[in-house]
Structures are given as C-alpha cells and as structure tokens.
Amino acid sequence: MKTKVIGITALLVTLGISWGGIHTQAQTLTVHKELGNPTPLVQSVAPNKELTSSKDYFAIKKKELPQSITLPSSTIQRSTIAADTYGTNTTPDQALLIQTGQAYQGYIATEGESRWFYTQVTSPAKLTSFLSVVNSTAIDYDLSLYYLNEETSQIQQVAFSTKGPTQYEQLSHIAKAGYYFIRVSSYQGADTTNPFTVFAVTSDTYDANEPDDNPWLAKDRGAAPFVSTQNIDNSFDEDWTKVTLTAQSKMNLRLDNTSTYGTYQLQLFNANLVSQGTLAQNTNGQVTLPAGTYYIQVLAPSTFDLTKPYKLSVNYQTADVSRVTVSDITTDGGLYGFIDYGQGKKWRVKSNIVITGRAFDATGTPVGNAIVTTNITTILNGKVISGTATTDGYGNFTMPVYINNPGVGQYTFQSSRYRHYYDVVRIQFFNNGKQLNSDISTLYHFAYEIYTG
C-alpha cells in the first residue's frame, strides 16, 4: 500500500484536518450533464399520468444528515493518508482538498458511508458543487455542503441535494470567504468498481435569484404569472423555479435568449422530478397540468453567456378558447386589403404578413394568456406555413407569419391594366392542439401580375 506525506496549514493543523489531493487524476470539465433525448414541450402535451408512479423525493424525506459536526479539537502533526483503492476520507477530519474548476473521482465501499472533500473560497462568491453518480437504480448517492465555523470548530450544513438513483446531484451557496466541506454520502448501495465524480467551482458574478441550482433552492412563484430575467453564471449553473397549481391549468412558457453564443434550454418536472417535456430557447410551449407542484429548470447544455441574461415568462390561460376573430392582416408588396377577386371578400397576402385578432371562449368572453397558432396551407407542394402568438389579458393577439412559399397562380383577375394571378388558400387557427372556429377560413395568396395596358 502506497503512502504519502500531506502538508497541513497552521489553521488546518489546529482543527485536525488533513490536507491533500484525492488519489485519482483531476479532470478539467468541458461538458454539462447528459440530457438524453428530451421530449419537446408542445401544445399537444396531455395531462401528466405519472404523479404516483415513481418515488416522490420531496414528499418522502430521506434520513437527514447532521446539520453541524464538531471537528477534533486536538492538534495533529503532519498526517499520512493511505492512497488505497477507495480512499480514507470517510470523516470530515480526513477530508481531501479539491481545487475549484477541476473534477475528482472516488468510490464508496459500503452503504451509508460518506466521502469528504473540502475547498477554500478566498473571497465572497457563489460556490457550486456537482456530483456525477453511478448509473444504477440500486445506487443512490447524495451531496451536501458545509461551512467551517473557525470559532467553534464546527462545520455547518448550508446546502444539500438528495435526488434519487441515477440522477446527478447539484447545489450552490452564496459563500463568504472560508473553508467549505463537500460530503458525498450513500443513501442506498455502494460501488467499488464505478466511481463517482465530484467538483466545485466559484462564480464572481451571479443574478439576484441565486442560489437556485436545485429543486430545494428553487424560487417559489406559487400560482401567479411571472417574468424572470436571470443569468447562467457558469457552465454547470442551473436556475430552478417552483410553481404550485391549485387546480388543473394550462401553463404557457417561453424562454427568450438574445445571446448569439450561449444556448439555453428549459425543462419542466413534476413533484417526483419526472420530466414533463423540454422547451428550446426563443419558443413558446403550453401544457395542461393537474393541480400539484412543478419545477422549471433552465440550463445551458453546451455554452453560456454571462453578459446576456435570458428571460423566462410563465402565465396561465384563463379559459378554453372556442373561436377567434381577425380584425386585420397586413402584408408586403403593396397588396394590403380585404378584397373580392370573385370568390368573396378575403384578406389578400403575399409573403410577410401580420395577423391581428382576438380569442374568445364559448360564452364570448375574451381569453387571456392563450397561445394561438395558425396554419396556412399554400398550393405549391401543399406546404403548411405556421405562426404563433400569445393573447394579452383582453384576448388580443398580434401574430407575424412569413409565407416563404410562392403562389402558383391558379386563378386570375383582370383589373383595368393588370392581370392578377393568385391562389385561394386555407387558413386555420388552433389552441392547445384543438382547431378553433374563426370568422375567416381562406385567403387570397397573391402570386404575380402581368401588365395588360
């Protein structure tokens, strides 16, 4: 068995904490978590049916770890740590130093055992810790963070993450200068073949909602609509929000990101941390959810941009939409108008159009916060052009649509000097996958004109 002499600073000697690096090689982290194949959060998502099919990590509490631990008070001389297969850092006084920004691997030998690490924060910052766990449903490791009170020689718990098997753990804390201890503990099972990976990183700049890197730290928004503007401050940063629905609701979500470098993604979870779907940046999503608690996670799967905040918008549709009315459709090409080419009065459009309308329920009451989509089916190759908009509190919407498919010119209309070639195309409106009644059903799609003198 190899041994190595570990140097100890004066402070750590007094407190009985050995100084050293873990026996495996440090790794520089370059990627975020493995997200698998996420399910898009789209309008047709049905109410969740899995609320009781898996363990509820929030309703069924795990055995709590100690909130504070007193370190040995006796002075220790230079310490020798065995560099064996599994490590000797099973107690906080044998914690191993990890440098911020690097990843370290380790093993847990028996169920209930812990592995301890520590890091130093030299100036106030946000401290993030991440644990990549063993990919086995029989193994469940948890992560917790402690702060060293140098006056009492106690380490006091300041954050934790206790998800279930196969799920990575992550936590964050707004840290003052000092020493922080990271505990990897076995809640269930152990594995001496496949290692876990742990790391810590600090962020000097972060938004006002931090720390919010896991469900236990989530910002609680209740059932009220909200708009949140935040930053992703490191490649492992996550922003979690908690919402609680008192009745079945249609939830609308939008994730706006203006950065050309950072790419973000939203994921919605139920109370069991079962994913309800994902939403890409700069897109709308709507899902019908039963009463309960839900968690919204925003992260950067690949790249992040600290200089550009993103905007998360969440609101709730006030009623079922039954019909829409269209008050105006503007278009390019000098073709604006509600005209009659011979097939009845219709809006004439070309390429860039904007539809202005209003949504109502079955009683004629305007519906606020409803996502309305349109499909325009053009003649050339039957291409369907889509657009989407969200109604305001009075049911009004303004929907830009780009018809990037030219007209064929199936029909003609002779004016005083020009012969117009156009198509009659279908327009439909939808909400949450259901087709809506509308006061218009077709458009004149202008193709081209010929001067006839």
Coordinates of all heavy atoms in Angstrom, one line a residue, residues 5 11 26 146 148 150 190 222 248 334 347 352 404 413-414:
V5 N 3.1 11.8 2.3 CA 3.0 12.7 3.4 C 2.3 14.0 2.9 O 2.5 14.5 1.8 CB 4.4 13.1 3.9 CG1 4.3 14.2 4.9 CG2 5.1 11.9 4.4
L11 N -3.8 26.6 10.2 CA -5.2 26.6 10.6 C -5.7 25.2 10.6 O -6.4 24.8 11.6 CB -6.0 27.4 9.6 CG -7.5 27.4 9.8 CD1 -7.9 27.9 11.1 CD2 -8.2 28.1 8.6
A26 N -7.0 14.7 -11.5 CA -8.0 15.7 -11.7 C -8.3 15.8 -13.1 O -7.5 15.6 -14.0 CB -7.5 17.1 -11.2
Y146 N -21.0 22.0 3.6 CA -20.9 22.5 5.0 C -19.9 23.7 5.0 O -18.9 23.7 4.2 CB -20.4 21.4 5.9 CG -21.3 20.3 6.1 CD1 -21.5 19.3 5.2 CD2 -22.1 20.1 7.3 CE1 -22.3 18.2 5.4 CE2 -22.9 19.1 7.5 CZ -23.0 18.1 6.5 OH -23.9 17.0 6.7
L148 N -17.2 25.8 7.4 CA -16.4 25.7 8.6 C -16.5 27.0 9.4 O -16.0 28.1 9.0 CB -14.9 25.4 8.3 CG -13.9 25.5 9.4 CD1 -14.3 24.4 10.5 CD2 -12.5 25.3 8.9
E150 N -14.8 28.8 12.1 CA -13.5 28.6 12.7 C -13.5 28.9 14.2 O -12.5 28.5 14.9 CB -12.5 29.6 12.0 CG -12.4 29.2 10.5 CD -11.5 30.2 9.8 OE1 -10.5 30.7 10.4 OE2 -11.7 30.4 8.6
A190 N -23.7 0.8 -2.8 CA -22.3 1.3 -2.9 C -21.7 0.6 -4.1 O -22.3 -0.4 -4.6 CB -21.5 0.9 -1.7
G222 N -45.4 30.3 -6.6 CA -46.8 30.0 -6.3 C -47.5 29.7 -7.6 O -47.0 29.0 -8.5
Q248 N -56.4 22.2 -12.1 CA -55.9 22.0 -13.5 C -55.7 23.3 -14.2 O -56.7 24.1 -14.3 CB -56.8 21.0 -14.2 CG -56.3 20.7 -15.6 CD -57.0 19.5 -16.3 OE1 -57.0 18.4 -15.8 NE2 -57.7 19.8 -17.4
G334 N -47.4 46.0 -51.3 CA -48.4 46.9 -51.7 C -49.8 46.3 -51.9 O -50.5 46.8 -52.7
W347 N -58.9 38.5 -47.1 CA -57.7 39.2 -47.0 C -56.7 38.7 -48.1 O -56.6 37.5 -48.3 CB -57.1 39.0 -45.6 CG -57.9 39.7 -44.5 CD1 -58.8 39.1 -43.7 CD2 -57.9 41.1 -44.2 NE1 -59.3 40.0 -42.8 CE2 -58.8 41.2 -43.1 CE3 -57.2 42.2 -44.7 CZ2 -59.1 42.5 -42.5 CZ3 -57.5 43.4 -44.1 CH2 -58.4 43.5 -43.0
N352 N -44.7 38.5 -46.2 CA -44.6 38.9 -44.8 C -45.9 39.5 -44.4 O -46.3 40.6 -44.8 CB -43.5 39.9 -44.6 CG -42.1 39.3 -44.8 OD1 -41.6 38.6 -44.0 ND2 -41.4 39.7 -45.9
N404 N -43.1 31.7 -46.7 CA -41.9 31.5 -47.6 C -42.1 30.5 -48.6 O -41.3 29.6 -48.8 CB -40.7 31.1 -46.7 CG -40.9 29.9 -45.9 OD1 -42.1 29.5 -45.7 ND2 -39.9 29.3 -45.4
F413 N -57.4 37.5 -62.1 CA -58.4 38.6 -62.0 C -57.9 39.7 -62.9 O -56.8 40.2 -62.7 CB -58.6 39.0 -60.6 CG -59.5 40.2 -60.4 CD1 -60.8 40.0 -60.4 CD2 -58.9 41.5 -60.3 CE1 -61.7 41.1 -60.2 CE2 -59.8 42.6 -60.1 CZ -61.1 42.4 -60.1
Q414 N -58.7 40.2 -63.8 CA -58.3 41.3 -64.7 C -58.8 42.6 -64.1 O -60.0 42.9 -63.9 CB -59.0 41.1 -66.1 CG -58.6 42.1 -67.1 CD -57.1 42.1 -67.4 OE1 -56.5 41.0 -67.7 NE2 -56.4 43.2 -67.3

